Amino acid sequence: MAEMRAVDIHGGKGNISALHITTVPKPRPSPAQALVKVKCFGLNRMDLLQREGLYPVPEGASKILGVEFSGTIEELGEHAEAGGDFKKGDEVFGLAYGGAYAEFIAVSTRMLVKKPEGMGWEEAAGIPETWITATQALYHISHFTPGKSILFHAAASSVSIAGIQLARADSASAIYATARSDEKCSFAVNTLGATAAFNSTTTDWVQEIVKATNGRGVDIVIDFVGADFFAKNLEVVAKDGVIVNLGFLGGTELPQGTNLSAFIRKRVTFVGSALRSRDVEYQGKLRDELVEHALPRFKDGRFKVLIDRVLSWEDVQEAHRLLEENKTRGKVICCVY
């Protein structure tokens, strides 16, 4: 059986020190898949949770960490080849259900995108999960349209970085953000173009946003914090507004006495969503939207993949440490050298 190197976890789950590179069986593509030789892979917070045994892997998916990558097509399944869209040697990036922390990955061709000429491997590896998640949250979950206002929490996270750029390009009336440092707030305004950003640890960001919107609030809130911001999000959301929850950095249990009256008083919609648990058909439609809506703007430079750090995959422990410290502004990328 052919073998390859991949990142593994001692004991199946554990802390950062459990990560190591070992030899595992090389995957074989199914008829509808391509085998891609991985150049780089992007890190996401779900990787930290999966490493600790707190994120269930979709049924049938590789247990190897990682869902986004860039690389070259090594082999095509018979049905994938018959489609004619891809050929051996094509430079691609894509989204998978798992398996990206490795030298090779087998993935549905439905989730592959041809890498534009001139785009770096590192940049390409930072697009799929991040930008598809932002696309899903804005257009499919919150139903963002030009003229709406929006608040992104965790402004320096990769999904918010993508979302702020998408909202700006599609004429949001105002884009607000929160972050846990003044540096990240400045980054959101001066680099990303947010209307205003507020330090959530040193300012009353609820009152600042209420003041900035003349008491109206924002039409859409994109939240990764969860319990800690739940009640505050209800204060800043406008009537008929939408709150989209994508994570639980601030916990999952609401304090006793949390007031839910805004749900009726403001006619609020609260939606929780995830991408990895969706089927290929759903993800494929988002992939098409990414290609049609965002890829041309990557090509002409209007959209940027902001990368905080590029490391060798031999330094995967350090890469996970960077994410856990919450000090990054943009993607952490590992390259398979």
Side-chain angles (χ1 to χ4, degrees):
M1 178 180 292
E3 296 182 328
M4 68 172 183
R5 292 186 301 158
V7 175
D8 196 10
I9 308 166
H10 285 299
K13 63 179 180 179
N15 58 28
I16 288 174
S17 64
L19 293 171
H20 67 286
I21 295 176
T22 188
T23 300
V24 300
K26 183 178 177 181
R28 298 183 62 183
S30 71
Q33 289 183 323
L35 181 68
V36 176
K37 182 176 176 59
V38 176
K39 291 283 189 179
C40 299
F41 56 82
L43 276 70
N44 294 281
R45 197 157 293 276
M46 74 175 81
D47 302 347
L48 309 184
L49 296 174
Q50 183 180 332
R51 188 200 72 222
E52 295 173 350
L54 301 175
Y55 195 111
V57 177
E59 185 177 354
S62 171
K63 299 298 189 291
I64 296 171
L65 294 168
V67 298
E68 60 183 352
F69 60 91
S70 61
T72 57
I73 293 179
E74 184 88 358
E75 182 183 345
L76 284 163
E78 55 182 324
H79 296 327
E81 190 172 12
D85 293 327
F86 296 99
K87 63 182 184 299
K88 184 177 178 180
D90 278 349
E91 299 181 345
V92 296
F93 59 90
L95 183 68
Y97 289 104
Y101 286 29
E103 290 182 311
F104 294 92
I105 184 171
V107 61
S108 168
T109 54
R110 185 73 179 89
M111 297 310 300
L112 290 178
V113 178
K114 290 185 179 179
K115 182 176 75 67
E117 186 176 352
M119 178 180 284
W121 294 111
E122 298 88 351
E123 181 183 5
I127 292 175
E129 169 68 19
T130 297
W131 283 79
I132 288 178
T133 296
T135 295
Q136 177 193 31
L138 260 68
Y139 307 112
H140 292 259
I141 307 299
S142 68
H143 304 294
F144 169 81
T145 53
K148 288 188 176 183
S149 58
I150 188 165
L151 165 63
F152 289 92
H153 291 305
S157 70
S158 296
V159 174
S160 288
I161 288 171
I164 290 170
Q165 292 182 71
L166 287 166
R168 279 195 67 202
D170 288 340
S171 304
S173 60
I175 304 169
Y176 301 103
T178 69
R180 289 188 286 184
S181 72
D182 291 340
E183 182 185 23
K184 289 182 177 181
C185 288
S186 297
F187 168 76
V189 174
N190 298 326
T191 300
L192 301 177
T195 306
F198 308 103
N199 188 324
S200 60
T201 64
T202 61
T203 65
D204 186 343
W205 59 268
V206 172
Q207 291 306 311
E208 292 291 344
I209 292 174
V210 169
K211 179 181 177 181
T213 59
N214 295 317
R216 181 182 180 276
V218 293
D219 297 305
I220 297 167
V221 178
I222 306 295
D223 178 43
F224 309 88
V225 179
D228 284 354
F229 281 6
F230 183 86
K232 294 178 180 180
N233 286 336
L234 289 175
E235 289 187 60
V236 299
V237 72
K239 284 187 177 179
D240 298 310
V242 181
I243 301 170
V244 181
N245 180 257
L246 300 177
F248 302 109
L249 293 173
T252 59
E253 295 188 10
L254 299 180
Q256 188 173 2
T258 299
N259 191 330
L260 304 180
S261 65
F263 277 105
I264 294 176
R265 179 166 42 86
K266 292 185 177 182
R267 302 185 295 268
V268 174
T269 299
F270 182 95
V271 187
S273 189
L275 179 61
R276 195 178 186 183
S277 58
R278 306 280 190 169
D279 61 28
V280 173
E281 181 181 358
Y282 179 95
Q283 291 191 3
K285 291 178 180 177
L286 290 172
R287 174 264 182 209
D288 294 344
E289 192 165 347
L290 174 77
V291 170
E292 295 166 8
H293 188 64
L295 198 59
R297 294 170 176 174
F298 284 116
K299 291 178 179 178
D300 65 20
R302 284 178 289 170
F303 284 169
K304 305 286 187 184
V305 178
L306 299 181
I307 297 174
D308 186 275
R309 197 77 59 88
V310 176
L311 301 169
S312 165
W313 75 321
E314 301 280 352
D315 299 317
V316 66
Q317 290 188 9
E318 175 63 17
H320 272 232
R321 188 170 292 109
L322 286 169
L323 255 65
E324 286 194 349
E325 291 175 349
N326 292 316
K327 295 179 181 179
T328 57
R329 293 183 300 176
K331 295 296 294 188
V332 175
I333 304 292
C334 285
C335 293
V336 182
Y337 299 124

